[in-house]
Amino acid sequence: RTMGLSRDSRHKRRATGGRRAIHIKKRKFEMARPPAMTKLGQKRVKIVRVRGGNFKYRAMRLEYGNFSWGSEAIAKKTRIMEVAYNASNNELVRTKTLVKNAIVQVDAVPFREWYKQHYGVVLGKKAAKADKDEKKEEKVSEATQKKQAKRRKAMGIIEGGIEDQFRQGRLYACISSRPGQCGRADGYILEGEELQFYLKKMSAKKKK
């Protein structure tokens, strides 16, 4: 009786090229399963019972995830808009497959709203539009204004690459969880050298 996919190496040749005699049957602990190939879409997660009576959460489709913004030390639940880059396989970008270390574009609104509420600064607004918005802006209590002013003194400078992304309403992020194992697509916003590295890779890919 066959047990589907297997991760054994008995069927492989030796390093010298010789063939091995197979004198052991397949083992349960060598069993493999087909990849989840999680796609973008309305959440659908299957529960799989695995070795030891444990469970894995096989995400078939996901559209939201928790993404952390490292330099600001916050995390927000946001929508995954697009799969932008995958180092291992371009086919995974075309088919919008979510895997660990995939570079995706996420909705910038939750982060912009937090920044505005925390510092009283609107990110990614053009100068003329910002002036109009200031006139329309809702009233904030004096105590909140003092808090925001104090925070603004200590706040860091937002790098140009991230400012541009806020203008477009989408941020580049990296998925750090394993959607096919834990049923979640969580990750972090790309910043600094890592952001520059991936922007370079993506622009090179577009030129081809």
Side-chain angles (χ1 to χ4, degrees):
R1 188 169 70 85
T2 58
M3 293 198 312
L5 303 176
S6 181
R7 292 180 297 113
D8 72 306
S9 57
R10 283 187 303 280
H11 67 282
K12 304 195 91 163
R13 287 173 178 263
R14 298 172 201 273
T16 55
R19 292 189 68 172
R20 286 191 187 136
I22 297 172
H23 51 82
I24 301 176
K25 286 183 178 180
K26 289 181 180 180
R27 298 290 190 247
K28 178 78 173 175
F29 57 77
E30 291 166 349
M31 190 180 79
R33 293 183 183 87
M37 304 301 271
T38 310
K39 301 283 186 276
L40 261 181
Q42 196 174 359
K43 185 179 176 179
R44 195 161 90 231
V45 178
K46 284 184 178 177
I47 298 172
V48 182
R49 189 225 181 251
V50 295
R51 190 171 155 88
N54 298 309
F55 292 98
K56 283 188 179 181
Y57 299 91
R58 186 85 76 235
M60 309 313 290
R61 277 179 173 67
L62 287 173
E63 59 178 338
Y64 285 91
N66 274 341
F67 288 87
S68 69
W69 188 0
S71 60
E72 293 296 336
I74 58 137
K76 291 282 168 193
K77 183 182 178 181
T78 185
R79 187 160 170 251
I80 302 166
M81 314 285 276
E82 194 71 52
V83 178
Y85 179 77
N86 193 306
S88 62
N89 191 348
N90 283 336
E91 200 64 11
L92 300 179
V93 178
R94 191 184 64 80
T95 54
K96 297 182 182 180
T97 305
L98 301 174
V99 292
K100 185 175 176 174
N101 224 47
I103 305 303
V104 295
Q105 282 187 313
V106 298
D107 190 9
V109 172
F111 296 99
R112 187 191 287 141
E113 290 298 312
W114 175 84
Y115 204 86
K116 184 185 173 185
Q117 179 248 319
H118 194 71
Y119 294 114
V121 176
V122 180
L123 279 174
K125 286 279 168 105
K126 288 172 186 169
K129 208 174 180 188
D131 292 339
K132 282 181 189 174
D133 286 350
E134 270 175 38
K135 289 167 189 173
K136 291 180 192 173
E137 211 169 300
E138 70 244 32
K139 288 180 182 177
V140 179
S141 69
E142 276 186 42
T144 306
Q145 284 176 358
K146 280 179 186 174
K147 271 186 202 171
Q148 288 174 344
K150 194 178 176 184
R151 285 169 188 158
R152 277 199 294 273
K153 286 175 187 173
M155 80 177 185
I157 298 162
I158 297 287
E159 61 181 288
I162 288 180
E163 187 83 57
D164 291 341
Q165 288 173 56
F166 270 109
R167 224 164 271 139
Q168 291 160 15
R170 291 179 173 203
L171 298 170
Y172 283 114
C174 179
I175 293 176
S176 57
S177 69
R178 299 170 71 194
Q181 307 291 315
C182 65
R184 299 170 64 97
D186 298 340
Y188 57 93
I189 303 300
L190 292 178
E191 298 179 89
E193 287 179 15
E194 194 176 8
L195 173 63
Q196 296 311 315
F197 172 82
Y198 282 114
L199 286 175
K200 213 178 199 177
K201 288 278 183 189
M202 283 183 271
S203 64
K205 198 177 109 181
K206 281 175 188 172
K207 283 175 188 173
K208 281 181 183 177

